Amino acid sequence: MKKFVSVIIVFLLLSSNQLTTFAARNGQLDLKSKGAVLLDSDTGAVLYAKNADKKMYPASLTKIATAIYAIEKGNLNSMVTVSANAVRQDGTRVYLDEGEKVSLKQLIQGMLVNSGNDAAVAIAEHIDGSVEQFSVNLNAYLKSTIGVHHTHFINPNGLFDKNHFTTAMDMGLITNYAIKNPVFAEIFGTKVLKWKGKSWKTTILTHHRMLKGELAYPGVTGGKTGYTSEAKQTLSTTAANSKIRLTAVVLNSVQQRDKYDDTARLFDYGFKNFQHGTLVQGQIFKLANKEYFPATNTLITESVKGSTRVLNNEGVLLIKNNSNGHVLQLVPLKYKEPAPEKIFVKSESAVKKGEKDKHLTHVNAIYGVMIIALAGIIVGVRKKFIRKF
């Protein structure tokens, strides 16, 4: 009996470290998170969405936006002087000291890998002088550079404020944009970070349990966790196999385990059902009497069960999933200008020759009239001469 109980206990312990996955029923995944989105990391195609445009709180997923903005605007080798305001931040920290000097890159590493709220504020103050100005500039950057429209951040770390919000779709777009930067991608995928600060020397492990391997999932390449009591559990994760790269974001999960199980379900669905195709440069798509074409070879995402390509009136090609009719991707095409009608234009020599011919015709006509008149005179004189003799 004891042996049987021991086996059960071991089984339960092992199963607690296995991600739970379920197949989609009627195209719907059994997700516990209130908001979720699955994107193709390369094409941006939307493969799955749940309340994707509903405003929710991101918690520390905010730091993804802070990181890519700081990487693109700042000098990674510049030294940041830590303020008292940064040191006073609540929640997870990297235990900075007031007046401590740390490189911008190290602060970004501490912010993403250990979710340091103090590091995030130190970054904001270094980049734009204050948290307030940083937030204004960050929001403008997210809108103009990345193209999000339902996000408003008022701090760099995601500590709760009712006016600090985003959506699953916006966070997916932000993550997709950020991972194309090699510096960000390297830090986002860091599992172990040796930290050497003024008062804290340690080895930091990523908080992301799938990336760390605690909840193993093949192909995970990066991730960021988040939690506040108001936002609940949030997670952004990237993964890849030999055919496709995926980005998954889940928001507002009640239990920590739920966000990992939901992310695994999203990845299972994406890897099983989608693949890449290519629109060949110059390939013609017709609508009525108009023709459109891709200017370059263009990567697209298609369902493994088949996709339909539909051209709309604006010259945008819609890639539709044959299974459910959902639009996966929008591809703007170039309009092919119709060939101009051929108009025959005489050369200069031809024009001169024509004018010369016209002149000769005119002269010949005069000569003809004169000859006819002379002939008439001769005939008249001859008749008169005959009568006389």
Side-chain angles (χ1 to χ4, degrees), residues 330-345:
L330 302 175
V331 183
L333 302 180
K334 290 193 69 175
Y335 175 58
K336 184 179 180 182
E337 297 286 348
E341 294 184 8
K342 291 184 178 180
I343 301 174
F344 180 74
V345 179

Side-chain angles (χ1 to χ4, degrees), residues 41 217-222 237-241 244-248 267 271:
S41 303
Y217 190 95
V220 168
T221 56
T237 315
T238 55
N241 65 12
I244 196 169
R245 299 195 306 162
L246 301 175
T247 299
F267 284 151
F271 288 132

Side-chain angles (χ1 to χ4, degrees), residues 40-43 47 219 239-246 270-278 299-302 304:
D40 184 317
S41 303
D42 295 303
T43 69
L47 309 183
N241 65 12
S242 60
K243 296 180 180 179
I244 196 169
R245 299 195 306 162
L246 301 175
F271 288 132
K272 179 181 179 181
N273 291 286
F274 299 97
Q275 62 188 4
H276 280 154
T278 303
L299 192 69
I300 60 172
T301 309
E302 298 183 295
V304 296

Side-chain angles (χ1 to χ4, degrees), residues 288-305:
N289 60 343
K290 295 182 178 180
E291 295 184 346
Y292 297 86
F293 64 95
T296 61
N297 288 347
T298 304
L299 192 69
I300 60 172
T301 309
E302 298 183 295
S303 169
V304 296
K305 296 180 180 179

Side-chain angles (χ1 to χ4, degrees), residues 41 64 182 194 348 385:
S41 303
I64 296 173
K194 291 188 178 299
E348 185 178 349
F385 179 77

Side-chain angles (χ1 to χ4, degrees), residues 83 85-87 89 111 116-126 131 156-157:
S83 71
N85 182 41
V87 172
Q89 295 301 301
M111 177 183 67
N117 292 327
D118 48 357
V121 169
I123 291 167
E125 292 176 338
H126 174 73
V131 166
N157 48 33

Side-chain angles (χ1 to χ4, degrees), residues 189-204:
T190 297
K191 301 177 182 180
V192 180
L193 175 68
K194 291 188 178 299
W195 184 266
K196 186 176 181 181
K198 187 176 180 179
S199 62
W200 197 45
K201 296 176 179 62
T202 188
T203 298
I204 299 171

